[in-house]
Amino acid sequence: DQQVKQNSPSLSVQEGRISILNCDYTNSMFDYFLWYKKYPAEGPTFLISISSIKDKNEDGRFTVFLNKSAKHLSLHIVPSQPGDSAVYFCAAHNTDKLIFGTGTRLQVFP
Amino acid sequence: DSGVTQTPKHLITATGQRVTLRCSPRSGDLSVYWYQQSLDQGLQFLIQYYNGEERAKGNILERFSAQQFPDLHSELNLSSLELGDSALYFCASSELAGAANEQFFGPGTRLTVL
């Protein structure tokens, strides 16, 4: 049973436009959510996080939105840049474990 | 470069064999986490050590074991290997014990079981 789902395996966006990556979860006990970015042949790197008591967190071009009633979070990247092309994983925290989604491959084209 | 090192980068072995994956955390980090990423899957949490002690356990098979040594490096031992164990194995480290703290990932070890 997948508790964290990223239903879009891939997303293609033009440079300068907004990229929106989505993540759904099933467990209402998750108290913290994180996004990690992964380039090929590298390990994931932390991008941004949000506590379950908030509905928005912003860091530069990256904003994460949390809708607890819908059990949904999204990562917005504005404006998208070619260097943002990577696989993005959302992760949820519960009982001191991180549960990761399967990832969304973002491609930003010129 | 995250500061986390993993060796070897690639490992090819046969079913039934045993292998050891090694991880050196970032300087100063006391927590080490192990994850498995199979094809088209997300990262599956296996186990966490904090300052030499097991702290949290995920979906780690009984054939797998890990330990963290006094110098804080960690080893993941995989035995009686099966074809389905072929995956990328990541190690991550963090300064503090809680998994919600930023984790720094190594580049991974790609294990192929033939």
Side-chain angles (χ1 to χ4, degrees):
Chain A
D1 179 30
Q2 194 126 24
Q3 297 187 64
V4 178
K5 299 179 185 179
Q6 294 178 257
N7 292 317
S8 298
S10 63
L11 176 67
S12 191
V13 171
Q14 189 172 30
E15 182 179 4
R17 301 276 199 165
I18 183 171
S19 294
I20 300 176
L21 296 97
N22 295 304
C23 181
D24 297 297
Y25 62 95
T26 58
N27 189 342
S28 57
M29 298 301 292
F30 290 142
D31 57 4
Y32 207 74
F33 301 88
L34 306 92
W35 285 92
Y36 278 80
K37 177 170 78 171
K38 184 183 181 304
Y39 293 118
E42 295 181 11
T45 55
F46 170 77
L47 193 56
I48 192 169
S49 62
I50 187 167
S51 166
S52 61
I53 63 173
K54 296 190 174 182
D55 55 19
K56 178 181 173 181
N57 187 26
E58 196 171 347
D59 183 2
R61 296 185 298 113
F62 302 92
T63 303
V64 56
F65 295 92
L66 176 62
N67 183 334
K68 285 185 68 177
S69 61
K71 294 191 179 69
H72 176 84
L73 70 156
S74 60
L75 174 68
H76 293 212
I77 306 174
V78 183
S80 301
Q81 299 174 353
D84 296 329
S85 298
V87 177
Y88 290 77
F89 292 98
C90 69
H93 175 264
N94 182 34
T95 59
D96 244 358
K97 301 182 182 73
L98 287 187
I99 299 173
F100 284 82
T102 53
T104 296
R105 182 177 303 277
L106 172 66
Q107 184 177 7
V108 181
F109 60 93
Chain B
D1 185 355
S2 67
V4 178
T5 59
Q6 289 187 249
T7 56
K9 284 189 177 178
H10 301 276
L11 199 48
I12 301 175
T13 187
T15 54
Q17 295 298 305
R18 172 189 169 97
V19 297
T20 297
L21 313 184
R22 183 188 168 105
C23 168
S24 292
R26 287 189 326 156
S27 177
D29 284 358
L30 299 179
S31 266
V32 170
Y33 309 79
W34 286 98
Y35 293 89
Q36 177 194 55
Q37 185 184 18
S38 303
L39 193 63
D40 295 332
Q41 296 289 315
L43 287 83
Q44 302 288 324
F45 169 68
L46 295 178
I47 197 164
Q48 178 201 359
Y49 280 81
Y50 178 76
N51 204 19
E53 300 288 327
E54 181 184 305
R55 189 174 186 278
K57 218 167 183 175
N59 299 324
I60 188 166
L61 299 172
E62 284 192 15
R63 300 184 286 109
F64 296 1
S65 64
Q67 55 184 325
Q68 187 179 28
F69 294 87
D71 67 352
L72 300 177
H73 91 271
S74 178
E75 293 181 355
L76 179 67
N77 301 295
L78 314 176
S79 61
S80 302
L81 284 168
E82 301 175 359
L83 295 177
D85 297 327
S86 295
L88 259 175
Y89 290 84
F90 288 103
C91 164
S93 73
S94 65
E95 182 183 358
L96 303 175
N101 292 289
E102 180 177 354
Q103 296 182 25
F104 295 85
F105 283 79
T109 293
R110 182 171 293 282
L111 173 66
T112 302
V113 182
L114 300 175

